[in-house]
Amino acid sequence: MGEKRDSLQQQYDLVSQKLGRLRQAYAIETDVSTKLKLEVQIQETQTEQNRLNRQLEEIEQKLL
């Protein structure tokens, strides 16, 4: 159980870092088509982050 949680936490942290970088890139981007691509990537990354968060919460509930 612990290893799976650690692995998920690691993935969650990486996805969170990626999201931060995408948002920074989006904030300074001026090209409209690039901005649209970044929007899509941000949405996909947020979805992935939410999925990992749910999995982590499920593991936490089982540990209680």
Side-chain angles (χ1 to χ4, degrees), residues 13-49:
D13 292 344
L14 286 171
V15 167
S16 297
Q17 285 176 9
K18 179 181 176 182
L19 197 52
R21 289 197 196 103
L22 284 168
R23 285 182 174 144
Q24 283 178 326
Y26 182 82
I28 60 173
E29 186 54 60
T30 54
D31 182 66
V32 175
S33 64
T34 304
K35 250 182 141 72
L36 288 171
K37 285 179 195 164
L38 285 167
E39 269 180 39
V40 171
Q41 282 186 287
I42 287 169
Q43 286 174 343
E44 288 172 352
T45 308
Q46 282 176 325
T47 301
E48 175 71 359
Q49 188 185 41

